[in-house]
Amino acid sequence: MKASSIANANIALIKYWGKRDRKLILPNNGSISLTLDSLNTVTTVEFDKKYNKDIFILNDREIKEGEELEKVSRHLDLIRKVGSIEIPAKVMSKNNFPTAAGLASSASGFTALALAAAKAAGKDLSSKELSILARQSGSGSAARSCVGGFVEWLKGEKKDGSDSYAVQIAKKEHWPEFRMITTVVSTLKKKVSSTTGMDQTVKTCPLYKAWVDSIPEDLEKVKRGILNKDFSLVGSVAEFNCLKLHAAMLTTRPALIYWMPATLEIIHSILSWRKKGLECYFTIDAGPQVKVICLDKDVQELIKRLKNINGVRKVIVCKPGTGPKLTDNHLF
Ligand code: PMV
């Protein structure tokens, strides 16, 4: 059977960095994100005997070997187990934005894969079941793309990971004015993946314990800020959390320096604009792109200013978006 789905990327306001279980992909800390409406992945999956092995086509190019194909196959194995099937699958996936450059393509990708593959295997999963499955893909943050709006990925305590999944803090309609403007300063694939980078941080970073210890307070503040639509609280805590993450990255051995000159240009600009009264904040993941946190009323002015910064190749405005959906528009 063939099934297709569409899933949105998400960007964390409070970041996940470091695992307590590398096989089940259980995080050392909880995280909070916004599911975005403009960055998505469409995926079609077909399980069929006519394929003699798993086939993975990403953005019109067949991935014949390597880590990406292994991750997809491993994820298909989980679904084959859930659906009690033993045949290979063809997977075709398309992102409408740069892949693996710190724009959370793996989150939307693995959520779309989990939903389409489960359906193709004859399974209708709840959002909790989907989130637990998507989390185990290799991209833990995929757990959060299984839910729309403002989302918390619960750290969980249990060894089997049954209490570590995403829940909704607020629907997208709760705060429709909230925006994230994604800047694209480079479309090159990052040199160190999140998976490798966070393992190195856990092992070598002298600041890592302080990072983990600081998270409960950040989670509480951002959750409160979202529920009260307190933009200054959400923005300032998200920005501080991002800087703590990058402090840990920078003090990992070997150092994880994901920023590029244009990344710093944007950071300095945002700080100066904010000082002069234009309220906006930044957040950055394991890549050079800066996501500007702002409100709808300031979007046009910010686009104008961002486009004037040297090195900014593209800006994409994202609103709060929905969770994943099945679609009849198959890619093959
Ligand atoms: O889900 P992963 O393994 O791609 O790691 C995501 C890590 C960050 O994007 C830096 C933080 C986050 O919470 O999304």
Side-chain angles (χ1 to χ4, degrees), residues 308-320:
N308 273 332
I309 296 177
N310 234 341
V312 174
R313 299 155 72 124
K314 206 174 166 182
V315 298
I316 307 167
V317 181
C318 300
K319 301 177 191 171

Side-chain angles (χ1 to χ4, degrees), residues 81-296:
K81 206 166 151 197
V82 172
S84 308
I85 49 174
E86 286 180 356
I87 50 178
K90 176 173 172 179
V91 176
M92 193 180 270
S93 215
K94 274 190 185 179
N95 294 327
N96 73 343
F97 59 98
T99 300
L103 285 184
S105 59
S106 48
S108 55
F110 279 107
T111 298
L113 175 64
L115 180 59
K119 184 72 187 172
K123 289 280 164 191
D124 289 306
L125 303 178
S126 68
S127 127
K128 174 178 165 180
E129 289 169 322
L130 190 69
S131 180
I132 288 179
L133 209 60
R135 185 198 76 216
Q136 296 175 61
S137 57
S139 172
S141 56
R144 299 187 308 240
S145 274
C146 295
V147 179
F150 297 85
V151 178
E152 179 174 8
W153 173 15
L154 306 170
K155 166 169 113 61
E157 301 294 338
K158 294 189 182 161
K159 266 197 141 161
D160 67 359
S162 56
D163 56 352
S164 181
Y165 55 90
V167 292
Q168 190 170 62
I169 297 171
K171 289 196 178 110
K172 71 184 179 86
E173 292 80 10
H174 166 74
W175 202 352
E177 304 83 12
F178 198 93
R179 293 288 178 278
M180 282 210 194
I181 306 178
T182 300
T183 62
V184 179
V185 301
S186 164
T187 52
L188 295 177
K189 212 175 142 121
K190 59 191 164 203
K191 289 199 189 97
V192 185
S193 70
S194 306
T195 306
T196 307
M198 68 177 78
D199 285 353
Q200 282 168 356
T201 302
V202 174
K203 272 195 221 129
T204 66
C205 172
L207 308 185
Y208 187 67
K209 188 179 179 303
W211 157 260
V212 173
D213 290 347
S214 78
I215 298 291
E217 187 180 336
D218 288 0
L219 290 174
E220 187 278 315
K221 283 183 176 160
V222 166
K223 235 184 295 184
R224 178 154 44 91
I226 291 169
L227 293 173
N228 295 334
K229 295 204 254 182
D230 181 339
F231 182 64
S232 306
L233 182 62
V234 173
S236 58
V237 176
E239 189 177 284
F240 183 42
N241 182 268
C242 155
L243 287 170
K244 286 187 285 189
L245 170 69
H246 285 269
M249 288 168 164
L250 290 168
T251 48
T252 291
R253 283 185 223 174
L256 299 166
I257 308 176
Y258 288 111
W259 296 359
M260 311 256 275
T263 313
L264 264 172
E265 281 280 325
I266 304 172
I267 291 176
H268 283 296
S269 301
I270 288 174
L271 295 176
S272 136
W273 298 337
R274 193 161 78 225
K275 213 168 176 185
K276 292 183 190 134
L278 176 56
E279 193 175 8
C280 57
Y281 301 86
F282 61 84
T283 189
I284 306 161
D285 292 300
Q289 334 293 6
V290 181
K291 289 92 182 183
V292 187
I293 302 166
C294 63
L295 291 172
D296 184 30

Side-chain angles (χ1 to χ4, degrees), residues 56-63 91-95 331:
F56 177 41
I57 300 162
L58 176 61
N59 298 328
D60 298 319
R61 198 171 59 87
E62 184 172 353
I63 311 288
V91 176
M92 193 180 270
S93 215
K94 274 190 185 179
N95 294 327
L331 293 177

